[in-house]
Amino acid sequence: MTDKTELIGLSKTEIQEKLIQMGEKPFRAKQLWQWLYFHGETDFDKMSNLAKDLRQKLKNNFTITRPKIVAEQVSKDKTRKWLLEFQDGQRVEMVYIPEDDRGAVCISTQVGCAVGCRFCHTGSQKLTRNLTAGEIVSQFMVARDTYGEWPSPTAETRYLSNIVVMGMGEPLHNPENVIKALNILTDGEGIAISRRRITMSTSGIAPKIVSTLKATGVRLAISLHAPNNQIRSKIMPINDRFPIEEILKACQEYQSGDGSRYITFEYLMLKDVNDSLDNARELIALMKKYKLRASFNLIPFNPWPGCIFQPSTEKNIKAFADALEKAGFAAPVRVARGQDILAACGQLKSQKEKS
Ligand code: SAH
Ligand code: SF4
């Protein structure tokens, strides 16, 4: 272990304070920031507009670290999956899902998860620890390293165009680090991903929803997965703490005053649990009651060894989607990607641990 300070994950202000403490002018901090986040540079010696003695000072005091890539797989449909390892040996997964000329990188916020949703493989692994802001940001930086997207391309030309905070962990159980990380990822002098191209998904930690969204300006997705508390509590025990009404009230507050804020409700299709037409009707009534501007994302369930649920039939998923669409809600069915590389949440990690 070193007593040097890791730069990735410090806010702009923090970097500035550190450099001023070292007797440097504030504009040096801006230059350093651009090396880190615009150029993706990891070698102090290559920071050509910094004087040699400053580079040496930086080297003596700081590190620039990426998580180690432990495993990497590319699926037939070009979905890519990384297993990443941090300094203490803890591991998370990251997935890149390409579309024609763009694509979304799915990043993690915790090692494991304390929410314990019954259908989720990560949830069956318990919480080990929160990720730091630097560990959250550096996942995306590994994706950029892999695809050679440094220096930061413009919004029109970048291939890694979107970020979804939908990997391992519950972001609203680690809000401080998530907020800090998202503010670094969206900074215009660095990585510069637009806030509208980032979606954060939560299981519904109601008291944290509005404050975290306000602090980041990203898009909100709620893992709803059920039309009523009875079903939801069965598959997501956290619903006893934060029931549907509380979550939807927070959603109302988030939307009030800004008509452009749409919410995506994720709905996992579980056979004979939440996938009947009656369930769809109840869901529509719920949305109408709360007058939310919402769309749905119907997710085919990805089974894993030891899980008690089965995926809904294609016929049921289609009927469910049709009912929502007839009621005026967009309800695309998420296309299963990367099936041949086990792209379900948590599966690459556990496969590797077994071997
Ligand atoms: N903790 C956050 C974000 C990470 S989970 C949340 O729950 O929203 C991201 C999404 O993957 C959630 O919508 C979750 O319900 C879904 N998911 C979990 N296990 C799954 C599985 N086995 N098959 C398909 N989707 C799953
Ligand atoms: Fe945690 Fe999300 Fe998995 Fe639930 S679905 S256990 S909140 S990661």
Side-chain angles (χ1 to χ4, degrees):
M1 283 311 273
T2 89
D3 49 6
K4 295 183 186 177
T5 305
E6 174 59 33
L7 282 174
I8 302 298
L10 296 184
S11 70
K12 227 178 206 173
T13 324
E14 286 169 332
I15 290 189
Q16 201 174 74
E17 282 163 6
K18 301 244 181 242
L19 290 204
I20 289 172
Q21 274 167 22
M22 289 166 61
E24 294 296 328
K25 296 252 160 41
F27 79 96
R28 293 289 176 204
K30 186 172 165 170
Q31 288 176 321
L32 178 57
W33 181 270
Q34 286 170 339
W35 282 115
L36 297 175
Y37 293 117
F38 183 76
H39 296 285
E41 189 52 70
T42 54
D43 181 353
F44 290 109
D45 283 326
K46 293 200 177 133
M47 301 184 176
S48 50
N49 59 357
L50 304 181
K52 225 175 168 183
D53 62 325
L54 173 56
R55 281 186 249 156
Q56 191 54 49
K57 262 204 279 185
L58 292 174
K59 248 194 283 184
N60 294 343
N61 288 286
F62 299 109
T63 51
I64 305 168
T65 312
R66 297 280 199 271
K68 193 168 105 194
I69 300 173
V70 180
E72 209 175 339
Q73 286 176 290
V74 184
S75 133
K76 280 184 235 140
D77 66 12
K78 300 276 192 280
T79 299
R80 182 185 291 257
K81 188 158 180 164
W82 298 259
L83 178 62
L84 302 176
E85 186 177 287
F86 299 110
Q87 302 270 68
D88 66 348
Q90 291 300 331
R91 295 170 170 190
V92 297
E93 289 173 19
M94 175 169 70
V95 181
Y96 174 60
I97 304 155
E99 307 286 341
D100 287 341
D101 56 350
R102 51 188 63 256
V105 180
C106 177
I107 60 174
S108 298
T109 56
Q110 297 182 307
V111 180
C113 183
V115 177
C117 302
R118 303 243 193 273
F119 48 77
C120 174
H121 198 246
T122 304
S124 72
Q125 294 171 15
K126 302 279 181 329
L127 175 68
T128 305
R129 68 170 176 86
N130 281 338
L131 296 186
T132 63
E135 288 169 337
I136 297 169
V137 172
S138 63
Q139 293 171 59
F140 184 73
M141 298 178 89
V142 168
R144 275 214 172 155
D145 293 344
T146 307
Y147 286 87
E149 286 215 326
W150 301 112
S152 294
T154 63
E156 290 71 43
T157 59
R158 59 179 61 132
Y159 197 52
L160 310 182
S161 58
N162 292 55
I163 295 176
V164 291
V165 186
M166 295 187 185
M168 298 175 72
E170 168 49 55
L172 298 189
H173 275 167
N174 186 15
E176 267 178 45
N177 291 333
V178 169
I179 291 169
K180 201 171 175 195
L182 292 179
N183 284 327
I184 293 172
L185 289 164
T186 52
D187 184 280
E189 288 174 335
I191 291 172
I193 300 286
S194 152
R195 293 172 195 276
R196 312 312 294 160
R197 290 188 177 277
I198 299 180
T199 302
M200 190 190 70
S201 172
T202 174
S203 60
I205 313 302
K208 299 280 176 195
I209 291 176
V210 175
S211 57
T212 308
L213 271 290
K214 259 197 192 141
T216 57
V218 300
R219 290 178 185 271
L220 172 63
I222 301 277
S223 291
L224 190 61
H225 305 324
N228 61 47
N229 285 321
Q230 199 201 352
I231 298 177
R232 196 164 190 270
S233 288
K234 252 195 251 161
I235 58 177
M236 301 176 74
I238 188 131
N239 192 66
D240 291 337
R241 244 198 74 242
F242 305 117
I244 291 177
E245 297 73 36
E246 271 185 47
I247 299 169
L248 297 188
K249 264 188 217 140
C251 289
Q252 280 181 327
E253 195 185 332
Y254 162 70
Q255 286 192 329
S256 66
D258 186 345
S260 72
R261 286 183 181 157
Y262 252 79
I263 296 171
T264 304
F265 287 98
E266 296 161 276
Y267 197 100
L268 193 58
M269 298 297 293
L270 300 170
K271 188 176 182 192
D272 299 333
V273 175
N274 63 358
D275 67 343
S276 73
L277 275 180
D278 275 343
N279 297 146
R281 282 184 210 112
E282 200 177 353
L283 188 60
I284 293 163
L286 187 69
M287 289 298 129
K288 298 213 158 141
K289 181 173 167 203
Y290 283 85
K291 298 191 172 56
L292 293 166
R293 293 180 296 284
S295 60
F296 286 88
N297 200 346
L298 302 183
I299 311 176
F301 173 60
N302 225 330
W304 39 275
C307 181
I308 55 168
F309 299 108
Q310 275 115 47
S312 302
T313 61
E314 253 176 64
K315 193 170 147 238
N316 273 20
I317 298 179
K318 170 128 199 344
F320 201 94
D322 285 348
L324 289 174
E325 267 162 18
K326 252 190 226 136
F329 296 98
V333 180
R334 186 183 289 176
V335 187
R337 298 287 300 263
Q339 291 288 41
D340 52 325
I341 57 166
L342 300 173
C345 206
Q347 290 188 359
L348 180 70
K349 184 167 182 249
S350 31
Q351 187 199 32
K352 201 76 195 168
E353 270 159 10
K354 268 180 237 139
S355 68

